[in-house]
Amino acid sequence: MMDFLASLEQMKFSIWVLSSGSVWAYPTILTVHTFGMSIVAGIAALLSMRLLGVSPQTKLAPLDRVYPWMWWAFGINALTGSILMIADATTKLANPDFYIKLVFVFAGVGLLKMIRKSVFSNPNADSLPLPSNAKMLAWANIFCWFAAITAGRLLAYVGPVSGLNSPR
């Protein structure tokens, strides 16, 4: 398995991403990944905060329109995250923190789908009481995205770290 991961890192594109001095390589890919994450997590927080009672005058049903923007940003994150992972595969895929991040990302996506189905996609959402689990879903959603962001940030500091010969 490590041979396969090492072969991913030895692809010309991977070497360019990590070793190029170009601003268009690692810095831009990481910046785009950060912007995508901020859009996904920001929209998730917006939806969750509304369910928790913030801005009660804001109608629920129209908030369903932000989901396409969020999925678009998530797609950008999936692409840029895959590039960053492939370029440093032996380090990232040997780090348990990477898998913790993925668990929280997929849990957050699942919660966003549950929230959309149970609350935001109903055109009569504003005339109905919130589902009984809405606040629990909102808190869990906020927690998952906070944990995913934290785990992603900690990738640079815990477990196997890029550029070091041995795990820290």
Side-chain angles (χ1 to χ4, degrees):
M1 179 58 135
M2 288 305 276
D3 290 338
F4 173 71
L5 298 179
S7 70
L8 290 176
E9 288 181 352
Q10 294 307 313
M11 294 186 316
K12 287 183 181 184
F13 181 72
S14 297
I15 293 168
W16 176 78
V17 168
L18 283 183
S19 302
S20 171
S22 171
V23 71
W24 299 109
Y26 189 84
T28 298
I29 295 166
L30 184 61
T31 300
V32 171
H33 190 71
T34 302
F35 281 127
M37 177 270 309
S38 67
I39 292 169
V40 173
I43 290 174
L46 169 95
L47 298 173
S48 294
M49 295 303 287
R50 175 58 188 89
L51 293 179
L52 293 170
V54 174
S55 190
Q57 71 279 7
T58 302
K59 302 280 187 203
L60 289 168
L63 291 176
D64 187 56
R65 291 184 293 210
V66 300
Y67 272 89
W69 290 97
M70 186 173 51
W71 297 135
W72 179 82
F74 184 78
I76 297 228
N77 256 32
L79 175 64
T80 56
S82 295
I83 292 169
L84 295 169
M85 186 269 306
I86 288 170
D88 197 17
T90 59
T91 301
K92 296 290 186 264
L93 293 173
N95 191 333
D97 188 47
F98 178 76
Y99 299 100
I100 292 168
K101 172 187 173 175
L102 289 182
V103 165
F104 283 117
V105 166
F106 290 123
V109 166
L111 287 164
L112 285 166
K113 287 182 175 194
M114 291 170 63
I115 289 169
R116 185 178 198 188
K117 184 177 181 178
S118 67
V119 178
F120 291 105
S121 64
N122 185 343
N124 299 320
D126 295 302
S127 60
L128 301 171
L130 284 176
S132 60
N133 64 346
K135 288 189 179 192
M136 186 250 341
L137 291 171
W139 280 116
N141 192 36
I142 289 170
F143 175 79
C144 282
W145 290 108
F146 178 80
I149 292 166
T150 302
R153 191 62 211 121
L154 288 175
L155 277 170
Y157 304 104
V158 298
V161 178
S162 297
L164 297 178
N165 293 331
S166 61
R168 264 190 351 194

